[in-house]
Amino acid sequence: MTETTIPEYRSSETGTGPVGQPIARVDGPLKVTGRATYAYEHAVNGAAYGYILGAAIAKGRIAEIDSANAEQAPGVLHVMTYRNAPAQPAFGPAVTPTVPEVFTRARPMLNSNRVRFYDEPVALVVAETFEAARAAAGLIRVRYEEERGAFDLPARLAEAYAPRRTNAGFETDSAVGDFDGAFAAAPVTVDATYRTPYEHHNPMEPHATLALWSGDEVTVYTSAQTLANFQAGLASTLGIPRERVRIVSPFIGGGFGSKLIVHADSVLAALAARVLRRPVKVALTRQQMFANAGHRAEMVQQVRLGADRDGRLTSICHDVWSATSGFEEFCEQTAVFGRSLYAAPNRLTRHRLVPVDLNRGEWMRSPGEAPGMLAFESAMDELAEKLGLDPIELRIRNEPTVDPEQGVPFSTRNLVACMQEGARRFGWERRNPSPGRIREGRKLIGYGMAAAIRPNYIGAGTAKVAIDATGRVTARLDMTDIGTGTYTILTQIAAESLGVPIAAIKVELGDSRFPRTAGSGGSWGAASAGSALHHACNALKERIMEAARSSDRSPLRGANDVAPIFVGGEIRVGDRSVSLADLIGRIAPHGMEVTGSVAAARDTESYRTYSQHSYGAHFAEVAVDSDTGEIRMRRMLSVIGAGRILNPKTARSQILGGMTWGIGAALMEETVLDPRYGHFVNHDLAEYHVPVHGDVPEMEVVFLEEYDDKANPLGAKGLGELGVCGAGAAMANAIYNASGVRVREFPITLDKVLPGLPATAI
Amino acid sequence: MQPFTYQRANNVKEAAAAVAANREARFISGGTNLLDLMKLEIERPTHLLDISRLPLDSIEETPEGGLRVGAQVRNSDLAADPRVRSRYPVLSQALLAGASGQIRNKASTAGNLLQRTRCFYFYDRNMPCNKREPGTGCAALEGFNRIHAVLGASEACIAVHPSDMAVAMAALNAEVETTLPDGTIRTMPIGDLHRLPGATPHVETALGHGEMITAVILPPAPPGRQLYRKVRDRASYAFALVSVATVIEKSGDRIRSARIAIGGVAPKPWRPLEAEYVLAGAAAADSAFTEAAESALAGAVGRGGNDFKIPLAKRTLRQTLAAAVEGA
Ligand SMILES: Cc1cc2nc3c(=O)[nH]c(=O)nc-3n(C[C@H](O)[C@H](O)[C@H](O)COP(=O)(O)OP(=O)(O)OC[C@H]3O[C@@H](n4cnc5c(N)ncnc54)[C@H](O)[C@@H]3O)c2cc1C
Ligand code: SF4
């Protein structure tokens, strides 16, 4: 059983509107009745099916590729290899000149005989059916000239280099004061090295595309988080202007950051459809997703904390070494969150990269915080123990008054309140600070906590709203709903702003013909698209009032002195009121349409003058089996301060999902790279473990009442990824508290705790 | 997946003969393992004989007082059968600890016994694997072998047989009934069904090509307490790292007899008879459990990633024996 506490919210407009209400997903009925059409399901006449053959080596050259048998196989229409694939631009440098170009650069496929990573596409077979294409792919013979690849991280830290910047354009290093001096002088220190493994997103819906050309324009039904980037990336790859590429992605079966850029499915479907002059569908198989749809890179993280005896941090250093693809750099911003988290006069964060022969790493849910907080918040727990301090008290003693590195105030920051509220609700006082002391039968019980922080971003975007003569409102944006509830909150925002019922609003997303937004990523979706829509609705109200005040046919003509109120499907001005539908019917029989926009946060004054983050505190209770070392989560609570909660139901689902990711990261998620072959060994869902229902017994989410007026006009901050941040560390700390075994190599599987478990009597 | 022809079997004899007639033919039952293997072209049959509709789906009393479980009885139905639950609880527990509800609804009794290993390298055609392609080598031996065998393996192959059900059946001394292509019926102890890899890991069972399993026969329920304990990486839907099925009979403070089968550690359900001898007649105390656990794993060989299975199996065995005795 899970529960959520839903506090009351003030509404920006009327105090009683739909924003802040736990409204069920508006797209839910479509999804549960199978009427939401996903990329691969779009039915078109005459579609052909592609199947990708991947490389059997991780590095080298194709010396010979013989596709004759495949071409002769029944139903086969075309076999594409590097020898006959349409010309595409070269891949380009490992680091793009600017940050945004990483999303829009050309990503050519089958354009050379080089093999850069295991399972990289070496051929596409297109046939009348998927089965015929797959069978024929098995008939292609490839001879490789294999080269020795480099895959190891821990043994090659000496080869690490400093990238020019991290993902999202952060500084590679940051330094304040004199870390070395302060750390050397600190009476209490922790110096611990942690390892986090390769992980894979594995959204439920695999990457899949249907491409259709009409003349020299292509329409691509795909599963994408950010349409504008996808459109630009595909256009660059195909060598055609963006305007000739239309991306359609109304429903997405999860993305988690793996659907931000084009992958083999969309590029190859578009190329093959052009060659064959027929619609072509291409999907990655689950196994192919491990090499071809991004991953989180393996990392080694050293955390050094120095404190005085009463627990005030004097020095903080977080050093991160991460694997990166040699041909395309990706530096996860793993140590960046720490620049804003705790106070300390002397600080250092550094990111270093070690190239490996793998496909590029990608943005995986909560890039930076997810692996970084596993390490850092474990180290804080280690420090608390050394100091003999409660872990919450340690964090409170190091609560900064201003952002410790930027020196600016926080917009809102309720970390301490989250921890205190959480402690009270979770029964934190029952925790025994000495590990291994609570037993229930043959189980060792432990409690752990960790803080959560995640930056609030806003991406530039525009929304269009139209109202027709019957008062029905349609909002259109190229925003996506990747399962997070975007359709629903945008519906709420429009309904509230215009004072009409939810049922009067239709939100249309996922088409690159709609106005451009920043899409879904970085937890910015609700705030960015929501703000654009909010502005669009305000603009619409202004347009309506202008017309209403000046039109001869308007009952509100001349109502200039009093502010109008849009509520209950009516406009009220002083003691006059008129139904919105009626009014529009009179003053604009053909309807009205306006747009509204929001600027990227980083271009705003508010972002420079305030440190903007969402915060939370996670609490976990685990049981460790004293005989087998099996670790199971028993109970988890997250208290969240993330601005105004637009919809407590969808917000709660996001946090629950994040907490579940935390369980995965702490206990089981790991893709093993075999350094002999350069392949991910456990590349399917039978052996790449994610939590199942039995691993997620009891979860509670509490939202603190908060309104961040610095963040955006909605008062909301991003929270989609916040649930992951620190959640795994809370579990790791609980495991230590339960068993007395500190595992610094994630995930914490039973084989790692077993050797440290005390002997048990029968 | 290679193209194949498909035929629905009308009766057992015909089915066995049809498969025997074609080297590349296979029986298909629930298909939960075979189809995955075919998609990856690990198995490339050209002909499938669907035996899932044959009337082998009943559980019947035997004259000896045991149960005859038809080869087509679904894992879910077997686990839920009231006679199984009351007389062979270890079997019901083992079944319910395996796979997921959906898979158990499809999986047949015979298919479960004959499911193939989950060795990662076996499932990837680019990797050397003696079981898939004899003579190519074993990628797991010096690779990622966390899930691999510590008992009964060879230098040619260290794969584990992944079934939970078979482990319980081994502890119950089940027999496997088969029909040969010529119509002859034979039975063998379940312990003889799976072969150890030796130098020929591709030969996995004692069955000839076209020989069809028709039933599993459970002897009358043994006296004593039965228990199945599965240790895995997550709470459900994961294969066993180690599992233990045991049947223990007590007499006063002593153990009269004990049967043990260990899963997750060997190419077949592992019956450590030495450990059973240790327990027979011993005082029901930790010293006996510990000694039994030590002797059960005495010949174990770790290969690096799976070293932990040796202490894990000992600890699990010791505790499962203790728990079974407590209730016996
Ligand atoms: C993700 C996943 C997780 C799983 N987890 C577990 C687990 O935790 N524990 C566990 O025990 N199992 C687990 N399984 C395996 C599952 O139990 C087996 O796939 C299932 O039992 C196979 O039965 P089936 O009827 O589908 O066999 P099929 O796939 O139809 O056949 C398997 C093999 O048996 C042969 N065969 C079938 N019937 C006969 C017969 N009568 N005579 C001769 N040969 C025959 C077939 O030719 C084939 O070679 C899991 C499977 C999956 C996919
Ligand atoms: S353990 Fe057996 S199945 Fe696995 S790679 Fe080695 S030979 Fe193949």
Side-chain angles (χ1 to χ4, degrees):
Chain A
M1 270 306 294
T2 59
E3 10 166 330
T4 310
T5 307
I6 300 160
E8 287 189 7
Y9 295 88
R10 48 185 145 147
S11 159
S12 62
E13 299 282 330
T14 62
T16 56
V19 170
Q21 303 301 320
I23 287 167
R25 264 162 216 276
V26 296
D27 51 335
L30 279 183
K31 287 184 172 169
V32 297
T33 56
R35 284 176 297 145
T37 308
Y38 290 82
Y40 206 72
E41 301 171 333
H42 284 279
V44 285
N45 285 334
Y49 295 80
Y51 185 84
I52 297 168
L53 177 69
I57 60 163
K59 187 177 188 181
R61 263 179 3 99
I62 301 169
E64 217 179 296
I65 184 159
D66 176 3
S67 54
N69 287 341
E71 281 155 29
Q72 304 305 314
V76 170
L77 301 164
H78 183 61
V79 179
M80 192 185 289
T81 68
Y82 78 92
R83 291 187 308 203
N84 62 354
Q88 300 154 74
F91 180 72
V95 185
T96 53
T98 68
V99 174
E101 282 167 279
V102 79
F103 297 102
T104 60
R105 71 185 304 173
R107 298 187 176 279
M109 298 285 154
L110 303 178
N111 67 330
S112 124
N113 66 350
R114 292 269 350 144
V115 174
R116 303 172 301 173
F117 58 91
Y118 184 88
D119 212 17
E120 177 171 16
V122 296
L124 176 78
V125 182
V126 190
E128 295 290 352
T129 63
F130 171 81
E131 289 75 14
R134 183 172 58 182
L139 303 175
I140 298 176
R141 293 289 157 257
V142 191
R143 191 167 65 75
Y144 297 97
E145 277 167 16
E146 194 171 354
E147 294 163 27
R148 207 182 161 74
F151 302 103
D152 204 34
L153 173 68
R156 293 169 58 234
L157 298 187
E159 294 168 40
Y161 71 93
R164 282 214 305 271
R165 55 177 182 250
T166 76
N167 175 49
F170 293 104
E171 298 288 337
T172 302
D173 295 356
S174 75
V176 176
D178 167 22
F179 168 77
D180 288 325
F183 185 70
V188 184
T189 60
V190 164
D191 179 350
T193 300
Y194 303 84
R195 283 180 61 180
T196 51
Y198 287 103
E199 291 176 343
H200 280 81
H201 312 70
N202 277 312
M204 190 107 74
E205 181 199 18
H207 297 61
T209 299
L210 159 66
L212 297 142
W213 287 82
S214 159
D216 55 3
E217 299 196 353
V218 66
T219 301
V220 173
Y221 296 85
T222 191
S223 189
Q225 297 180 226
T226 306
L227 300 200
N229 288 338
F230 226 79
Q231 177 192 38
L234 199 55
S236 314
T237 311
L238 299 173
I240 58 176
R242 287 177 190 210
E243 304 73 58
R244 296 215 205 121
V245 178
R246 178 182 172 200
I247 310 287
V248 185
S249 191
F251 297 105
I252 296 126
F256 310 120
S258 75
K259 293 174 179 172
L260 292 168
I261 54 172
V262 294
H263 292 102
D265 58 309
S266 50
V267 173
L268 290 173
L271 290 176
R274 184 155 61 177
V275 170
L276 288 170
R277 300 172 181 279
R278 252 178 99 156
V280 172
K281 287 184 175 185
V282 179
L284 299 182
T285 64
R286 180 62 63 185
Q287 287 87 348
Q288 288 173 337
M289 285 168 66
F290 284 77
N292 289 289
H295 58 256
R296 174 152 20 236
E298 179 182 16
M299 292 175 209
V300 174
Q301 304 181 48
Q302 183 182 15
V303 182
R304 285 177 287 169
L305 304 172
D308 60 21
R309 292 201 190 282
D310 64 6
R312 245 163 290 269
L313 287 163
T314 59
S315 44
I316 298 178
C317 175
H318 192 173
D319 276 312
V320 182
W321 292 265
S322 169
T324 179
S325 168
F327 66 84
E328 186 171 11
E329 181 180 287
F330 185 72
C331 180
E332 197 164 330
Q333 64 269 39
T334 304
V336 167
F337 71 89
R339 296 173 188 171
S340 302
L341 189 51
Y342 300 120
N346 304 288
R347 357 180 18 109
L348 197 54
T349 64
R350 292 183 290 214
H351 298 83
R352 296 293 178 268
L353 296 174
V354 176
V356 293
D357 289 297
L358 285 180
N359 197 2
R360 65 156 303 153
E362 292 183 25
W363 310 261
M364 185 160 161
R365 201 166 186 190
S366 201
E369 290 80 6
M373 296 194 87
L374 276 179
F376 194 87
E377 287 292 288
S378 294
M380 285 294 283
D381 203 63
E382 299 199 36
L383 181 65
E385 190 187 30
K386 278 202 171 176
L387 288 160
L389 265 186
D390 182 273
I392 295 176
E393 180 56 27
L394 171 65
R395 287 168 174 85
I396 291 174
R397 289 192 188 175
N398 293 287
E399 174 70 7
T401 49
V402 295
D403 186 290
E405 300 202 11
Q406 293 175 57
V408 298
F410 298 105
S411 59
T412 49
R413 173 168 164 130
N414 282 311
L415 175 57
V416 172
C418 288
M419 293 190 292
Q420 289 172 333
E421 179 68 12
R424 191 179 65 72
R425 288 173 180 263
F426 198 68
W428 183 248
E429 75 285 353
R430 293 202 296 273
R431 170 181 182 267
N432 188 330
S434 306
R437 296 294 166 82
I438 307 181
R439 270 178 180 269
E440 272 181 36
R442 305 197 67 78
K443 306 265 189 251
L444 301 163
I445 310 299
Y447 287 28
M449 63 79 57
I453 180 172
R454 174 79 193 159
N456 179 51
Y457 296 112
I458 289 193
T462 301
K464 189 179 275 182
V465 240
I467 185 162
D468 69 15
T470 65
R472 293 195 54 86
V473 176
T474 307
R476 292 193 179 93
L477 330 63
D478 84 349
M479 180 60 190
T480 53
D481 186 332
I482 61 172
T484 48
T486 312
Y487 277 111
T488 311
I489 54 142
L490 293 181
T491 302
Q492 291 171 266
I493 288 168
E496 170 147 324
S497 177
L498 298 171
V500 298
I502 291 279
I505 307 284
K506 182 156 199 278
V507 173
E508 294 183 8
L509 306 177
D511 189 328
S512 62
R513 289 185 173 171
F514 299 155
R516 187 170 166 166
T517 67
S520 301
S523 303
W524 62 58
S528 308
S531 296
L533 182 59
H534 175 83
H535 290 311
C537 291
N538 281 346
L540 179 62
K541 287 193 284 191
E542 267 171 40
R543 272 278 293 282
I544 292 171
M545 285 313 296
E546 263 168 40
R549 285 174 180 135
S550 57
S551 166
D552 293 341
R553 281 171 291 169
S554 162
L556 301 180
R557 187 178 159 81
N560 297 343
D561 35 349
V562 198
I565 297 171
F566 284 64
V567 68
E570 293 181 343
I571 307 176
R572 294 186 194 147
V573 186
D575 50 11
R576 285 193 263 176
S577 78
V578 57
S579 116
L580 186 58
D582 188 39
L583 179 74
I584 301 292
R586 290 168 190 241
I587 62 174
H590 299 296
M592 282 181 174
E593 184 175 277
V594 299
T595 60
S597 294
V598 66
R602 84 175 80 78
D603 301 333
T604 63
E605 185 60 19
S606 155
Y607 211 65
R608 281 188 287 272
T609 45
Y610 291 96
S611 169
Q612 299 187 17
H613 296 82
S614 299
Y615 295 90
H618 297 292
F619 293 80
E621 178 184 325
V622 303
V624 179
D625 189 295
S626 61
D627 295 296
T628 63
E630 285 167 293
I631 304 160
R632 302 287 182 254
M633 215 275 284
R634 303 226 299 188
R635 202 157 68 83
M636 212 169 170
L637 162 72
S638 298
V639 182
I640 302 295
R644 182 189 190 199
I645 301 304
L646 302 173
N647 180 332
K649 196 168 181 176
T650 54
R652 169 177 173 272
S653 294
Q654 286 300 294
I655 300 297
L656 288 178
M659 292 156 79
T660 307
W661 273 57
I663 298 172
L667 299 186
M668 60 191 87
E669 281 195 54
E670 171 174 26
T671 340
V672 176
L673 181 66
D674 188 325
R676 300 168 304 166
Y677 306 106
H679 79 304
F680 289 115
V681 183
N682 51 332
H683 58 287
D684 62 32
L685 290 178
E687 301 299 341
Y688 181 87
H689 286 168
V690 297
V692 295
H693 280 288
D695 296 300
V696 190
E698 190 186 318
M699 309 258 245
E700 195 185 347
V701 180
V702 174
F703 294 109
L704 294 188
E705 184 158 347
E706 206 180 285
Y707 187 94
D708 194 326
D709 61 348
K710 310 294 185 304
N712 52 56
L714 303 170
K717 291 188 287 195
L719 60 69
E721 293 165 307
L722 187 65
V724 194
C725 307
M731 292 214 67
N733 296 337
I735 293 165
Y736 175 74
N737 182 246
S739 65
V741 186
R742 176 68 69 179
V743 179
R744 300 192 183 88
E745 197 171 314
F746 290 92
I748 306 177
T749 46
L750 61 87
D751 45 311
K752 297 174 189 167
V753 295
L754 202 58
L757 288 182
T760 53
I762 287 292
Chain B
M1 193 186 269
Q2 296 296 295
F4 57 87
T5 48
Y6 170 90
Q7 183 188 350
R8 202 171 276 176
N10 292 315
N11 60 61
V12 172
K13 208 177 146 202
E14 218 177 278
V19 169
N22 178 352
R23 270 312 314 164
E24 305 306 325
R26 296 278 184 286
F27 299 112
I28 183 161
S29 188
T32 59
N33 188 219
L34 185 58
L35 288 176
D36 281 354
L37 290 163
M38 287 170 63
K39 288 181 197 166
L40 298 168
E41 298 192 8
I42 310 305
E43 298 233 30
R44 286 184 283 177
T46 57
H47 187 63
L48 286 186
L49 217 91
D50 184 350
I51 54 173
S52 63
R53 288 172 179 80
L54 290 180
L56 298 172
D57 57 352
S58 58
I59 305 172
E60 286 155 16
E61 297 283 350
T62 63
E64 295 75 31
L67 289 178
R68 186 178 186 281
V69 180
Q72 287 307 327
V73 174
R74 304 289 149 195
N75 287 180
S76 306
D77 296 336
L78 185 56
D81 187 275
R83 293 162 294 179
V84 174
R85 287 175 53 179
S86 64
R87 284 148 59 186
Y88 307 97
V90 67
L91 178 56
S92 190
Q93 290 161 14
L95 282 159
L96 293 176
S100 67
Q102 291 94 329
I103 291 176
R104 293 194 296 269
N105 287 342
K106 276 306 268 184
S108 63
T109 303
N112 189 317
L113 284 177
L114 296 178
Q115 64 173 299
R116 305 197 68 190
T117 183
R118 308 303 300 192
C119 170
F120 322 104
Y121 300 96
F122 173 72
Y123 279 81
D124 190 333
R125 284 187 61 192
N126 297 325
M127 297 296 138
C129 171
N130 288 325
K131 188 187 276 302
R132 180 169 27 78
E133 275 176 74
T136 53
C138 169
L141 210 52
E142 298 194 336
F144 178 53
N145 51 30
R146 185 170 181 272
I147 65 171
H148 288 76
V150 292
L151 289 165
S154 70
E155 294 298 310
C157 178
I158 56 172
V160 156
H161 190 268
S163 169
D164 290 293
M165 180 194 81
V167 177
M169 286 179 173
L172 293 169
N173 287 341
E175 305 226 306
V176 178
E177 180 197 275
T178 67
T179 299
L180 284 101
D182 65 3
T184 329
I185 293 173
R186 66 164 175 157
T187 57
M188 67 185 85
I190 190 167
D192 291 351
L193 176 66
H194 300 102
R195 292 218 188 157
L196 293 183
T200 54
H202 58 290
V203 184
E204 293 179 345
T205 69
L207 304 183
H209 184 67
E211 184 170 358
M212 184 175 149
I213 297 181
T214 42
V216 171
I217 295 153
L218 301 175
R225 175 109 197 280
Q226 306 176 14
L227 194 60
Y228 190 73
R229 171 75 162 98
K230 177 174 180 177
V231 180
R232 48 187 151 176
D233 275 326
R234 60 182 170 190
S236 152
Y237 204 27
F239 289 93
L241 292 168
V242 164
S243 70
V244 170
T246 187
V247 184
I248 290 198
E249 190 195 358
K250 241 174 41 172
S251 154
D253 290 344
R254 303 220 152 243
I255 297 164
R256 186 193 293 268
S257 72
R259 290 196 220 155
I260 299 168
I262 313 181
V265 294
K268 59 188 279 190
W270 195 255
R271 275 291 291 267
L273 296 177
E274 330 71 70
E276 298 179 7
Y277 299 142
V278 166
L279 292 169
D286 190 11
S287 56
F289 308 143
T290 303
E291 196 190 327
E294 289 297 333
S295 79
L297 275 294
V301 182
R303 306 283 176 169
N306 63 356
D307 290 349
F308 74 97
K309 281 191 176 181
I310 301 171
L312 178 64
K314 290 181 190 171
R315 294 172 78 119
T316 309
L317 184 50
R318 167 179 173 250
Q319 203 280 322
T320 309
L321 292 170
V325 159
E326 223 162 80

